[in-house]
Amino acid sequence: MPRSTIARIDLQALRDNFALAQKLAGSARAMAVVKADGYGHGIRPVALALAEMASKYAVACLEEALAIRDAGLRQPVVLLQGVHEEDDLSGCLAHGFEPVLHSQAQLKWLECCGDRPDFWLKVNSGMNRLGFRPAELPDVMAAIDAMGARPRLLGFVTHFACADDPSSTRTAEQTECFVEGTAAWPELMRSVGNSAAHFLPGQPLFDWSRPGIMLYGGSPSVGKIGPELGLKPVMTLEAPLISTRIVKAGEAVGYGSAWVAEQDTTMGMVAIGYGDGYPRHAGTDTPAAVGGQRIRLIGRVSMDMLAVDLTNAPDARPGDRVELWGETVGVDEVATCAGTISYELMTGITARVPREYR
């Protein structure tokens, strides 16, 4: 029998979260962001589950877009990084892919492209990763007009740096920069809204929003966990309890003897570790659950195992299922304890953890 560590994926919760994203988007339409293998949930089943709700998908790169086509889905797919090679641009038209162009090199590829796809332009409104500065847009648009590509241009996109922090003024500044920079072309569509932007009161989302982490139940907002925002957990990460023992007062557990029992403690070993993608830096006091009862990790996470304090679950026995995150323990809670974000935890679950879909 295979090792029973598993990630259970609730596809109805995924659909419910997408419905919330669309509601919060108001008059904008929401495209489903399914990059990074559907944030670790499996790009094919995630895309299929949203097929009757999402009229557009968004991914990072070409191979992810092709996975959507391989699943038999025909909706347009936005390539958020555009294409990385000139030859890939012409193929976008045949597949219905919409690359986001962000550099002069990509514009040159577009000029040389015989069969041009629909495309977007990335505006650098202050994130300073990719995109054209607003002052560059008149020249960019003139070049697009000169090559006869304007009919294929769908609109402009930008990305927010601080939308996760409602107290920051940066999002409003970026929005103003974006609006002013694109004002000369009101007939073109605009897209600005990452997951966090859906939860900012008064934040315009224009024509298309781009919900990502919120679809999977993770919080995009600082100081909030998913359920506080009305989001449902999609992934429940479980592993079996494989042994229990009494650790005597003064005895240490695990590598580095990082945890020492202050009193006699019932300890359990759980068959999951950083080799499965569980974060190594989730140390003592990181929550878990068994039988619906919250417990805590103790000591260091190993490659294939971790230790838990069973004081709050005295009836737990080997073979019981331990929830590492899911319904009882939020993935955002675990991320906070590990000094990271839920995005990294979900996308980091390795291939040796099977996904079970319902």
Side-chain angles (χ1 to χ4, degrees), residues 106-127:
Q106 290 177 331
L107 284 180
K108 181 62 69 174
W109 297 346
L110 184 70
E111 183 180 10
C112 299
C113 184
D115 297 316
R116 296 189 181 105
D118 291 343
F119 67 97
W120 300 77
L121 287 179
K122 183 67 171 286
V123 179
N124 176 15
S125 62
M127 183 75 163

Side-chain angles (χ1 to χ4, degrees), residues 89-313:
L89 192 58
S90 60
C92 288
L93 177 62
H95 290 292
F97 299 158
E98 300 173 359
V100 176
L101 305 188
H102 55 77
S103 69
Q104 290 293 339
Q106 290 177 331
L107 284 180
K108 181 62 69 174
W109 297 346
L110 184 70
E111 183 180 10
C112 299
C113 184
D115 297 316
R116 296 189 181 105
D118 291 343
F119 67 97
W120 300 77
L121 287 179
K122 183 67 171 286
V123 179
N124 176 15
S125 62
M127 183 75 163
N128 288 313
R129 295 191 309 186
L130 301 174
F132 301 99
R133 295 182 184 275
E136 298 174 303
L137 288 180
D139 288 342
V140 170
M141 293 297 289
I144 289 171
D145 285 339
M147 68 179 76
R150 174 70 81 88
R152 289 294 192 178
L153 176 58
L154 298 174
F156 304 98
V157 305
T158 197
H159 196 61
F160 292 139
C162 302
D164 60 334
D165 182 2
S167 67
S168 173
T169 62
R170 194 75 182 106
T171 304
E173 293 165 0
Q174 283 192 255
T175 301
E176 182 179 3
C177 175
F178 179 74
V179 169
E180 292 179 354
T182 61
W185 305 279
E187 73 280 6
L188 296 174
M189 293 188 292
R190 291 177 287 182
S191 174
V192 302
N194 57 5
S195 287
H198 288 72
F199 297 96
L200 293 178
Q203 171 62 44
L205 298 184
F206 300 103
D207 300 291
W208 284 95
S209 72
R210 307 189 303 272
I213 190 65
M214 67 179 295
L215 301 185
Y216 310 96
S219 171
S221 303
V222 172
K224 297 285 187 179
I225 60 176
E228 291 176 331
L229 298 173
L231 301 170
K232 297 181 179 179
V234 175
M235 177 189 291
T236 296
L237 183 63
E238 294 182 351
L241 192 65
I242 57 174
S243 76
T244 62
R245 69 175 62 229
I246 301 296
V247 179
K248 300 291 186 180
E251 292 183 333
V253 172
Y255 287 119
S257 297
W259 181 82
V260 178
E262 296 181 356
Q263 57 192 15
D264 290 0
T265 303
T266 302
M267 181 200 73
M269 295 304 300
V270 185
I272 192 169
Y274 60 79
D276 303 289
Y278 190 86
R280 182 176 181 271
H281 296 295
T284 296
D285 292 332
T286 299
V290 59
Q293 181 65 50
R294 289 170 68 97
I295 55 177
R296 64 174 186 146
L297 271 62
I298 52 177
R300 292 182 183 171
V301 175
S302 302
M303 181 179 289
D304 311 302
M305 292 181 287
L306 55 81
V308 292
D309 178 352
L310 294 174
T311 300
N312 290 345

Side-chain angles (χ1 to χ4, degrees), residues 10-18 215 232-234 327 358:
D10 184 344
L11 296 175
Q12 185 55 52
L14 173 78
R15 287 187 282 265
D16 290 344
N17 291 338
F18 184 86
L215 301 185
K232 297 181 179 179
V234 175
E327 291 284 346
R358 61 174 183 173

Side-chain angles (χ1 to χ4, degrees), residues 322-335:
V322 177
E323 177 192 302
L324 286 309
W325 63 67
E327 291 284 346
T328 305
V329 174
V331 64
D332 299 302
E333 296 181 75
V334 178

